[in-house]
Amino acid sequence: MEPRKIRVGIDTGGTFTDVVAVDEESGAMVTTKTPSTPSDPAEGFLTGIDKVLRQLGVSGDSLSAVSHGTTVATNKLLEGKVENLGFITTEGYEHVLEIARQSVPDGYGNSYFWVKPDRIVPAHRVRTIRGRLSFDGNEIRPLNDDDVRAAAAFFKAEGVKTLGVCLVHSYANPDHEQRVRDILLEEYPEATVSISTEVLREYREFERAITTLVDAAVKPNIRSYVNNIANRLREFATESGDARDVPFYVMKSNGGVLSAKEVVHQPITTVLSGPAAGALGAALVASAAGVEQVLTCDGGGTSTDVTVVVRGEPALTTEGRVGNYPSKIPMIDVVTVGAGGGSIAWMTPEGTLRVGPHSAGADPGPMCYGNGGSAPTITDAHVLLGRIPPHLLGGEIPLDTDLARKGIEDLAHQLSLEVEACGTGILEVSAWNQANALRQISVKRGLDVRDFTLVTFGGSGSLLACRLVDILGLKDVLVPLNPGNVSAFGLLTVDVRNDYVQTHVSRHDRLRAEDLESELAVLAARADEALAGEGFAAEDRRYARSADLRYFGQAFEVRVPIADGEITQASIDQAAEAFHEAHRELYGYDFRGDQSQFVEWVNLRVSGIGPIKRPVLSEIATGTGAESARTGTRQAYFDGWHETAIYSRADLGAGDTITGPAVIEEFSSTVPIDPGFSARIDTFGNVRITRTLDSNGAN
C-alpha cells in the first residue's frame, strides 16, 4: 500500500518553530508548534516535523515535500555579524562603498546626529583590477588577469575566504566578472565567490555592490544550514532503508519558493524568508473571506513584521533594507519592529519606559517561563494582567505568574508606578511601536489606513489588536484560524518563483519593440531554464513581465506590468499608461499628455513561476451560541480589573458572537477582546473584531 502523501510547511522563528502539514489526497490539515533551538535551528526543524507526522499517525516515508521559511540569513544581517569579507572592483572605484548614497535615515533633520555605519568591507580588504566596460557593455580596456591573480594571492594570505566582485557596468556585459570568478577559484579554490551579474544585473554600482557582498556573506551559512537539513531529511524520511531525497523548498523574499539545491546559489533571496510567508498566508486567508485591503501584523517572540496587501497581493519593493544593508532584490515590502512577546521592558537613563528591541528570545525566554529570564517582557505583562492563560501550547509550557509579577514590580518601583500601571504601560508602548510600523507601510505610502482590515497572526500578533484599532482608526480586525501557524501555512500556498532583471535605459519615444522583445526573450529563456531544472513541465510554466519606468531626469523608478504576448508599440504604450497611473497613485500627479516630459524605461524584469497545488480553506460548522464554548472566567485588567469570560476557540462555530471584555484561547494564540469591542466568527472560522462603542461609551 502506497504511503499517504503529506506536504509540510515549517517556519522557524526566534522563539517557536511553527508547523503545518496537509494531506494531499484528503486536504486535511494539522498544525503544531515546538520551541526553536537557536544554537542549532535544524534540531527544532526536525523535532517539528516528527511531531506533526506523529499527530497524523504517519511515518517519514509519507513526506512528499517540505517548504521552509528560515531566519538564518536575516539574523546574520540583523546582528551585524558580517565580517571577514573581501571586495574586488574596477580600478578607480575602490571607495564606492564609503561614498555610498547621500540620503540620511529619517530625513536630513537627522543628519547632525546620524553616524554613517561602518562599511561592509573595510578599506584594507578592497582590491581593484584594471579593465573597463562602457555603459553599453563594450570593452574599453581588457581585463588584466595578473591583477586578479594578485588579488587572489592577497586574500589567500589574509585568510579571507568570502569574496564579492562588482565591476563597473558589468550589468551590461558579464564577461569580465565571469573571468574574474574563474581565475579566483583557480588560484584560491577554498574561496566563496559572488559576482554581481549573477546576483543583481542592474545598474547603480553602490546598491549592486552591497547586494553582492551580502549574498557572499550569507552564502556559507545558508549553504551549510540547507545542506544539513536536506541530508537529515533524507535520513528522516527513509524508514525502509532505501535513500530518497524529499523535495525541499526554501521561501524567498519575493513571495516564491526555490529548491534547496538552487537556493544555495542565490542565498540573498532568503533574507526575508519568514515574514514573506506570513504575508502570503494572511493574504490568502483574507481574500477567501472577501477582504482585499489588508494590513498584516505578524507578532512572534522576538519581533513583529507588518505588510500591506492590496487587491489580494502583498506589495513588493526593491528598495528594502535588512539591518544596515540596502538590498535591491525583489522582496515583499515588510517593516519589522522589535516588539515581540519576548521583547524586554526597561528603564532608560532618563527614567522613561522602553520596550525592545532586545529580546529574551527562546532561551532563557520571558521571566514567566521559569528558565532563568531576569528581565520583564511583554509576555510577562500579559500574564500579570490576565490577558493570556497561565500556560502556552495547551499546557506544554506552564507560565509562572508570580515570577512575572516580581519582574514587573521591580521595574514599576524604578519608574515609581503602580504594578498594573507599569504592566499596562509596557503593553501601551508595544502597541504604539506596532502602530508606527503599520503607519510606515500605509500612511507613508499614501494609503488611508481607515480603509484597511488588520489581519493579526503569530503567537503574539493578536494580543493588542483592539488597541491598534483605536490608535490607527482601522476598519476592523480579522484573526485567522490557527493564527500562530499562518506563516507555516503560507509556505504551502506559494509557487516556485525566480526573478531576472536587466538594465535597459531608453526614452519611451526611442524604444523599439524588437529590441524590447529581444531583451525580454533572453530573460524569459533564463527563467525557463530554471523552471525546467526545478522539474516543471513546459505547459505548467508561467511568466510575469514587468519594467521599471520613470520620468526623464528622475532618480527612482516605478514598476509596472508588461502585457503577455508579442511586444508591439501598443503594449509598450500600455505600459507607459500604467506608469502614468501608478505615478499619480503614488505621488498625486503625473505628466500624461505633457509633450515636454518624457517617460524613460530603465529595467526589464521577467519572473518565472512554477505553480504548486495550494491547500483549500474549508468552511466550519454553524455555531450553537458562544456560551457553549465558554470555559470559565478569570480576572483580567482592561483599564481596571474585570471578571472576564474565557472561550475555547475550537468550540466556537460560524455566526457565534462575543462581547468584550473576553479572551478567546486556542493552542497557538490568544485573542483578548477589550471592553467596547465585539467578535463574530465567520464561515471560515476567522474571528472578526469590530468596535461597538466609541471612546465615550456611545454606540
Side-chain angles (χ1 to χ4, degrees):
M1 182 178 172
E2 282 289 313
R4 291 159 64 186
K5 290 187 175 181
I6 308 297
R7 195 148 49 95
V8 174
I10 184 160
D11 177 53
T12 300
T15 307
F16 287 106
T17 294
D18 306 328
V19 192
V20 174
V22 62
D23 188 316
E24 293 191 15
E25 300 299 323
S26 67
M29 260 191 297
V30 171
T31 66
T32 192
K33 294 170 83 76
T34 186
S36 294
T37 49
S39 58
D40 182 5
E43 284 298 326
F45 177 100
L46 293 165
T47 299
I49 289 183
D50 183 57
K51 187 176 179 180
V52 81
L53 292 181
R54 278 191 280 108
Q55 284 182 232
L56 283 165
V58 298
S59 66
D61 287 344
S62 296
L63 271 180
S64 62
V66 177
S67 294
H68 180 39
T70 174
T71 57
V72 169
T74 317
N75 290 345
K76 183 178 179 72
L77 299 177
L78 289 176
E79 292 166 12
K81 295 179 179 177
V82 177
E83 51 195 22
N84 213 26
L85 274 176
F87 179 44
I88 296 174
T89 190
T90 302
E91 183 183 47
Y93 285 80
E94 61 266 35
H95 297 301
V96 66
L97 300 178
E98 183 61 41
I99 296 168
R101 293 291 173 199
Q102 67 176 3
S103 57
V104 174
D106 299 322
Y108 291 102
N110 189 40
S111 59
Y112 181 79
F113 305 97
W114 181 67
V115 177
K116 184 185 291 187
D118 292 337
R119 67 167 80 190
I120 191 170
V121 177
H124 68 276
R125 288 210 296 268
V126 176
R127 284 292 175 270
T128 63
I129 54 178
R130 286 169 286 182
R132 185 65 188 268
L133 299 172
S134 65
F135 73 94
D136 58 3
N138 290 317
E139 187 176 79
I140 298 173
R141 290 193 299 274
L143 182 73
N144 189 303
D145 290 0
D146 290 339
D147 287 356
V148 184
R149 291 193 168 89
F154 169 80
F155 288 121
K156 190 172 185 177
E158 291 287 311
V160 177
K161 292 186 177 181
T162 309
L163 308 175
V165 180
C166 181
L167 304 182
V168 172
H169 298 314
S170 57
Y171 58 83
N173 182 347
D175 291 349
H176 280 193
E177 283 195 355
Q178 290 172 352
R179 175 67 180 151
V180 169
R181 180 184 56 190
D182 292 345
I183 294 173
L184 287 174
L185 293 179
E186 178 187 317
E187 298 288 325
Y188 190 11
E190 303 88 354
T192 296
V193 181
S194 288
I195 62 175
S196 74
T197 46
E198 291 186 355
V199 176
L200 184 72
R201 200 163 169 177
E202 186 176 334
Y203 86 144
R204 292 198 174 103
E205 308 304 329
F206 170 67
E207 285 82 1
R208 187 155 52 90
I210 287 286
T211 304
T212 302
L213 287 163
V214 168
D215 182 83
V218 301
K219 192 175 280 185
N221 302 73
I222 288 291
R223 183 179 290 161
S224 171
Y225 175 69
V226 168
N227 288 339
N228 179 29
I229 285 183
N231 291 335
R232 294 175 72 172
L233 266 180
R234 186 183 301 117
E235 299 166 7
F236 182 81
T238 308
E239 309 217 342
S240 61
D242 297 324
R244 75 177 178 97
D245 287 325
V246 177
F248 178 36
Y249 298 98
V250 179
M251 184 74 196
K252 297 170 65 179
S253 309
N254 66 353
V257 291
L258 192 61
S259 68
K261 66 181 180 182
E262 287 299 322
V263 87
V264 296
H265 301 304
Q266 33 184 306
I268 193 174
T269 61
T270 70
V271 293
L272 286 177
S273 183
L280 286 160
L284 183 70
V285 170
S287 185
V291 181
E292 298 296 321
Q293 302 262 89
V294 163
L295 298 175
T296 74
C297 182
D298 178 4
T302 306
S303 62
T304 295
D305 305 310
V306 300
T307 59
V308 62
V309 177
V310 178
R311 293 182 286 276
E313 292 293 331
L316 287 171
T317 183
T318 54
E319 305 297 329
R321 301 181 68 88
V322 181
N324 289 325
Y325 310 112
S327 176
K328 288 283 288 179
I329 62 162
M331 59 175 65
I332 287 178
D333 195 359
V334 178
V335 172
T336 300
V337 61
S343 295
I344 292 170
W346 52 288
M347 187 181 78
T348 68
E350 295 79 24
T352 59
L353 174 64
R354 288 277 184 87
V355 180
H358 305 295
S359 173
D363 183 16
M367 292 183 70
C368 58
Y369 279 23
N371 289 336
S374 58
T377 65
I378 292 173
T379 297
D380 293 310
H382 281 295
V383 171
L384 172 73
L385 300 177
R387 307 284 190 90
I388 61 176
H391 56 77
L392 297 178
L393 304 189
E396 288 184 30
I397 300 178
L399 303 180
D400 191 324
T401 307
D402 291 336
L403 284 176
R405 175 175 286 276
K406 181 182 183 306
I408 293 176
E409 279 179 343
D410 290 345
L411 181 61
H413 179 71
Q414 296 174 45
L415 293 164
S416 302
L417 292 172
E418 296 293 328
V419 66
E420 289 87 357
C422 184
T424 304
I426 291 170
L427 301 189
E428 186 71 359
V429 172
S430 176
W432 278 91
N433 286 342
Q434 293 180 10
N436 288 334
L438 287 162
R439 282 198 177 107
Q440 283 187 53
I441 55 149
S442 56
V443 178
K444 290 189 177 181
R445 305 286 198 271
L447 302 171
D448 189 340
V449 70
R450 295 169 297 183
D451 296 334
F452 283 77
T453 293
L454 180 67
V455 178
T456 61
F457 56 98
S460 66
S462 305
L463 290 169
L464 297 169
C466 295
R467 187 69 189 111
L468 289 172
V469 169
D470 281 342
I471 294 172
L472 295 169
L474 294 158
K475 186 163 63 175
D476 57 359
V477 176
L478 184 153
V479 185
L481 268 174
N482 301 307
N485 296 86
V486 168
S487 291
F489 169 74
L491 290 163
L492 300 178
T493 72
V494 296
D495 300 323
V496 171
R497 184 181 180 110
N498 262 310
D499 297 314
Y500 298 93
V501 60
Q502 175 67 61
T503 292
H504 181 91
V505 180
S506 174
R507 247 173 53 179
H508 178 75
D509 58 332
R510 297 173 181 170
L511 186 64
R512 299 195 312 162
E514 54 267 34
D515 292 342
L516 194 58
E517 180 79 60
S518 174
E519 292 277 14
L520 288 169
V522 171
L523 296 176
R526 293 178 63 195
D528 189 71
E529 182 182 356
L531 290 174
E534 295 280 358
F536 289 95
E539 63 271 16
D540 294 331
R541 302 170 203 163
R542 294 189 288 110
Y543 308 94
R545 304 185 300 192
S546 60
D548 299 341
L549 276 62
R550 65 188 179 190
Y551 289 119
F552 188 79
Q554 284 185 325
F556 294 96
E557 304 83 39
V558 176
R559 186 172 308 166
V560 295
I562 300 175
D564 293 335
E566 182 184 355
I567 298 295
T568 63
Q569 189 59 47
S571 58
I572 293 174
D573 291 341
Q574 185 180 346
E577 279 298 308
F579 165 70
H580 291 308
E581 193 63 37
H583 196 280
R584 172 165 289 279
E585 189 174 317
L586 281 169
Y587 303 113
Y589 72 95
D590 65 66
F591 292 124
R592 183 192 280 109
D594 187 338
Q595 299 303 312
S596 66
Q597 298 288 344
F598 300 101
V599 172
E600 186 174 46
W601 292 60
V602 178
N603 298 311
L604 305 177
R605 300 179 184 273
V606 172
S607 297
I609 301 166
I612 286 178
K613 183 181 177 182
R614 296 183 176 184
V616 178
L617 293 172
S618 303
E619 296 188 1
I620 66 167
T622 302
T624 57
E627 280 303 306
S628 62
R630 185 164 165 160
T631 60
T633 63
R634 69 165 172 265
Q635 287 285 310
Y637 193 90
F638 299 93
D639 294 327
W641 288 102
H642 297 263
E643 190 67 25
T644 303
I646 311 300
Y647 296 87
S648 166
R649 184 165 184 183
D651 298 324
L652 290 167
D656 288 345
T657 59
I658 294 169
T659 302
V663 177
I664 303 172
E665 297 178 352
E666 59 182 306
F667 177 79
S668 66
S669 187
T670 302
V671 187
I673 310 298
D674 289 16
F677 286 82
S678 66
R680 177 181 58 83
I681 311 301
D682 70 13
T683 55
F684 291 99
N686 303 307
V687 178
R688 308 294 294 271
I689 303 171
T690 54
R691 176 164 263 299
T692 54
L693 301 175
D694 64 25
S695 58
N696 297 315
N699 288 313

